[in-house]
Amino acid sequence: MKGVRKSSLLYIIPLIALLTILIFCGNVYAVIQEENGGTEVIWGHIYPPSGGTYHYHTIGYFAWTARWVTSFKQREFGYIYMGGTEGTTSWYCGGQQWWSEPSLIKYNIKVIKIKDLTTQTEYTDPSVLRCVGFVFGKVWPSGSQESEEIVNLLLDVIQGLFDYFAFPIPFKLSSSYTSVGNGWSEITVYGCGSLSKFSTNVVFNAGDAGLPDTHTYEVTCRLTWTASFIINVEGGLQGRNPIEGEGIISPESGQAVDIAYAYATMDITFTVPPS
């Protein structure tokens, strides 16, 4: 069984740099919103496999952030930014060393509702929601050029805090990014888990859905982060996870034995008046 619970804000510190990035796109005339949060990731298993008890371990930390443009005109660009980071740790169970490794973070943006503010009519039909497009998306696997300078200024402070809690800074810096395909009403991308971010421009064309382009609309999108952690252990007979119907796990030395997941979701809105 995998799950998450709320914990302290310490592990959100690596995202301070990401939250300070200024975003400019199109003729934006409203403020940019930002949200962030974090969880302690818990993983449970039976140990030892015969006659053991089901218990939990803290195997890492997951933090996320989002920023978006709250208003942009039709035929112009909006913007949504999502970031995520994974902090890993190690522990002992049954006299053996266990540890976690960051895996992937999945980013998903899905349009769930469009409201015509002029007529107060709401639309959830998929054929209508497809008038919202996510284009020119980019995913930075392990950081970004814009955040490097700020992160470097914080490294000494962050390293001290992470050393105190006996695990290393859970990211490295990189300025490379990968362009991703477009999506209509929904888009999903993947980034490396230590520290990654995803950005996409947003377009809205009322005419594509047969809606009047002289009206003002409110769009609601659901943002979802899914972080995965690889669980490793030194060699020897290990436990089993009955929740997922697994049998007894007998890994070789240092072999991965399971994957734990953490989830976060939030709804955001932005308005689209006529051009």
Side-chain angles (χ1 to χ4, degrees):
M1 176 178 177
K2 294 96 181 178
V4 294
R5 70 185 183 196
K6 291 293 181 181
S7 184
S8 71
L9 297 180
L10 172 62
Y11 43 85
I12 302 176
I13 291 176
L15 291 180
I16 292 176
L18 300 180
L19 290 171
T20 59
I21 300 171
L22 294 178
I23 300 170
F24 299 96
C25 56
N27 295 319
V28 177
Y29 59 91
V31 297
I32 295 174
Q33 298 293 317
E34 64 181 51
E35 295 288 340
N36 66 323
T39 59
E40 183 179 65
V41 182
I42 306 300
W43 175 77
H45 68 148
I46 289 178
Y47 192 94
S50 178
T53 58
Y54 196 86
H55 60 288
Y56 294 90
H57 301 279
T58 297
I59 60 93
Y61 304 88
F62 171 49
W64 61 86
T65 186
R67 307 187 77 177
W68 65 97
V69 174
T70 60
S71 185
F72 61 93
K73 294 181 179 180
Q74 295 182 44
R75 302 185 186 89
E76 295 179 357
F77 286 126
Y79 188 92
I80 297 176
Y81 159 87
M82 301 171 67
T85 184
E86 292 181 65
T88 58
T89 187
S90 61
W91 64 96
Y92 283 93
C93 180
Q96 292 176 297
Q97 179 74 52
W98 299 66
W99 66 95
S100 62
E101 295 178 2
S103 185
L104 297 176
I105 297 180
K106 181 174 74 172
Y107 300 95
N108 176 266
I109 304 174
K110 184 176 183 178
V111 183
I112 60 175
K113 181 176 65 174
I114 296 174
K115 183 176 182 179
D116 186 332
L117 297 181
T118 305
T119 64
Q120 296 300 305
T121 304
E122 293 188 356
Y123 302 94
T124 58
D125 188 319
S127 64
V128 176
L129 302 184
R130 285 183 60 82
C131 70
V132 181
F134 304 107
V135 298
F136 307 124
K138 298 181 179 67
V139 60
W140 284 259
S142 302
S144 69
Q145 185 175 12
E146 298 93 328
S147 65
E148 285 185 12
E149 181 178 356
I150 300 173
V151 171
N152 286 330
L153 292 175
L154 295 172
L155 280 179
D156 290 342
V157 175
I158 296 173
Q159 182 66 76
L161 291 170
F162 278 87
D163 284 346
Y164 180 79
F165 284 89
F167 54 92
I169 295 177
F171 61 85
K172 64 180 180 178
L173 300 179
S174 171
S175 59
S176 63
Y177 67 84
T178 301
S179 296
V180 295
N182 301 334
W184 301 100
S185 79
E186 184 173 10
I187 189 169
T188 299
V189 302
Y190 293 84
C192 297
S194 56
L195 174 65
S196 62
K197 74 173 191 175
F198 165 55
S199 69
T200 182
N201 289 96
V202 186
V203 294
F204 181 93
N205 189 341
D208 287 350
L211 303 176
D213 60 9
T214 55
H215 292 190
T216 297
Y217 298 90
E218 179 185 74
V219 179
T220 302
C221 292
R222 180 156 296 157
L223 311 184
T224 303
W225 297 255
T226 305
S228 56
F229 296 76
I230 299 172
I231 310 299
N232 300 277
V233 67
E234 28 175 51
L237 189 64
Q238 307 306 330
R240 62 185 177 87
N241 189 332
I243 301 300
E244 297 202 357
E246 297 173 354
I248 295 174
I249 303 170
S250 301
E252 300 296 330
S253 178
Q255 182 174 331
V257 297
D258 206 354
I259 298 179
Y261 296 91
Y263 306 91
T265 186
M266 65 178 293
D267 291 349
I268 68 170
T269 60
F270 52 85
T271 58
V272 188
S275 297

